[in-house]
Every structure is written in C-alpha cells, then in structure tokens.
Amino acid sequence: LDAELRERYTRSGLAHLLSISGLHVAFFAAWLNVLLVRCRLGSRARFAAGTLVMLAYVWLLGFPAPATRSAAMLALLDVARLRQRVVAPRGLVALTALCVLWVDPWAIQSIGAWLSVAAVAAVIWAGRATERSPRVVRVLAPAAAATLLTAPITAYAFGTVAPIGVVANLAAIPLAGIAVPGLMAALIFSSTWLAAGAGLCLALLDWVAQTAASLAGGHFIMIEGWRAAALWAGVLL
C-alpha cells in the first residue's frame, strides 16, 4: 500500500481497516449467516456450514492472529448458543487467546494479536458496563474503550495514537461492512456493478479517513517505544 495512504488511515484511527483483521472475518461471517438463514437451514446445519466456510476463509488467509481470534470467538459463541449456555466474557476472551496461541505459538510476538485481543476485550467490557446508559454513551463507549486500551500498544509499536478514531469508526465501519463483502462478491462473480458499488464505499471510506486525519488534535505522534507506551498506560489508568 502507498505510504501516504497508510499514514492517513493510521492518523485517523482506521488502520485496522487496512489489515487482515478480525473485523473483516466478522463482516464475512455476518453476511454468510444472512445467506445461510435465507437457505432455511436448521441451527446445527447453519453452524456446521458457517464454521467450515469461515475456517476455510481464515486458512486461505494463512491464519493471521487477528483473523484466527475472530473465527475462534465466533465459533465458540455459536457452540454456546447451540448448547444454550451463558458465555462468560472474560473466559471467552481468554480461551480465544489460547486458541490463537495453539494455532501459532509465535503469535505472542505479534502486535496484531495484542491489538486484536485488547480491542475486543475493551469492546465487550464497555458494552456490558454501559448497557443501561443513554444511547449516545452506548454508541461511543466501545470505540472509546478500544482506543484507550490499545493506545499503549500503538504508542509502543507505531508512535501514533488517534483518539479521533472513536468518531471516525462510527462512519467507517458501516462503510467497510458493505465494501468488504461487496469486493468479495465482485471477485467471485466477476461482476462490474458489484465492483462499482464496493468502489463507491471505498471512496467514501477514504474520504472519512482523510477528513479525520486532517483534524487538528485528532491524533498524537511521538517516538515509539516504552516511554510512549508508559505515557499512554498512565492515561489509560
């Protein structure tokens, strides 16, 4: 990818949309579930088909840590739903992290794995903590929690923290949720009109990134390393 494009998405807090992240697997799984429901399959058949296709997709990607985390979490949630069990969030996150390490023990050194687990843990915690709060708080809290909890990691690895991402993601994630499956469908069916629709979403997504990156005070740049991580760990605390 072009360096200027990468920088734009980093400064807007949308860098996770450029990587093969757990969010992309979630998009894929959500649209796949819509198709399986339309096929009128039973819950067990839908689970078996959905899990197999999702695992095949992650295998095709090469089992990157964030995608593996997302696939494992979705599969475990489906197993719990089939068994009519209440899922303990901390146990789910911990078991998912262990699944990632079982697939690739060296994922412990992956910044992507750290960010993926930290972000999803923050989103789950914020969702539970604000479930009785006003709607505005419930909408902003998951993104704010994910930004704060991952800030020490991004400061250590990249030297950039982008609080503007809390707002930018509200517009960017729905656009990506249409663009990603649209691009997949365009590749599968060689459809120019699907490609054009997905291209429009990508153009709007890039406009959101460019606008958010240009806002004064929307991001902070520092020398990456332990000092930057310690500073943002203090902010988090």
Side-chain angles (χ1 to χ4, degrees):
L1 293 175
D2 182 71
E4 184 180 347
L5 185 143
R6 289 202 308 270
E7 191 70 18
R8 181 161 66 246
Y9 276 74
T10 300
R11 294 186 178 190
S12 61
L14 302 176
H16 61 99
L17 296 179
L18 294 180
S19 64
I20 302 175
S21 65
L23 186 62
H24 289 157
V25 176
F27 290 151
F28 177 75
W31 284 101
L32 176 63
N33 186 62
V34 170
L35 292 175
L36 292 175
V37 169
R38 297 275 295 184
C39 293
R40 302 182 184 277
L41 296 177
S43 56
R44 292 184 180 276
R46 203 161 59 238
F47 165 73
T51 301
L52 285 174
V53 173
M54 185 172 59
L55 290 176
Y57 173 61
V58 177
W59 169 79
L60 185 67
L61 298 176
F63 286 103
T68 304
R69 191 275 309 158
S70 184
M73 180 167 282
L74 290 169
L76 290 169
L77 282 171
D78 282 342
V79 169
R81 190 178 296 112
L82 284 174
R83 299 186 64 193
Q84 299 182 357
R85 299 296 178 90
V86 176
V87 178
R90 286 179 294 181
L92 177 64
V93 173
L95 182 57
T96 303
L98 287 174
C99 288
V100 172
L101 292 175
W102 177 70
V103 172
D104 178 16
W106 291 108
I108 193 69
Q109 295 183 329
S110 168
I111 296 296
W114 299 358
L115 290 172
S116 186
V117 173
V120 75
V123 167
I124 292 173
W125 173 83
R128 289 168 60 86
T130 61
E131 57 186 6
R132 296 183 180 179
S133 301
R135 181 174 177 80
V136 175
V137 176
R138 295 200 309 270
V139 169
L140 293 176
T147 299
L148 281 173
L149 194 58
T150 58
I153 303 173
T154 57
Y156 168 76
F158 310 118
T160 304
V161 176
I164 191 62
V166 174
V167 179
N169 275 284
L170 297 180
I173 288 179
L175 289 171
I178 300 172
V180 171
L183 290 169
M184 290 180 181
L187 288 170
I188 293 171
F189 300 111
S190 299
S191 170
T192 54
W193 65 269
L194 279 174
L200 174 61
C201 290
L202 285 178
L204 291 172
L205 181 63
D206 195 54
W207 178 82
V208 171
Q210 190 169 7
T211 303
S214 64
L215 293 176
H219 62 274
F220 301 95
I221 300 175
M222 64 216 78
I223 299 174
E224 70 270 15
W226 289 109
R227 290 185 179 181
L231 171 63
W232 284 98
V235 174
L236 172 62
L237 291 174

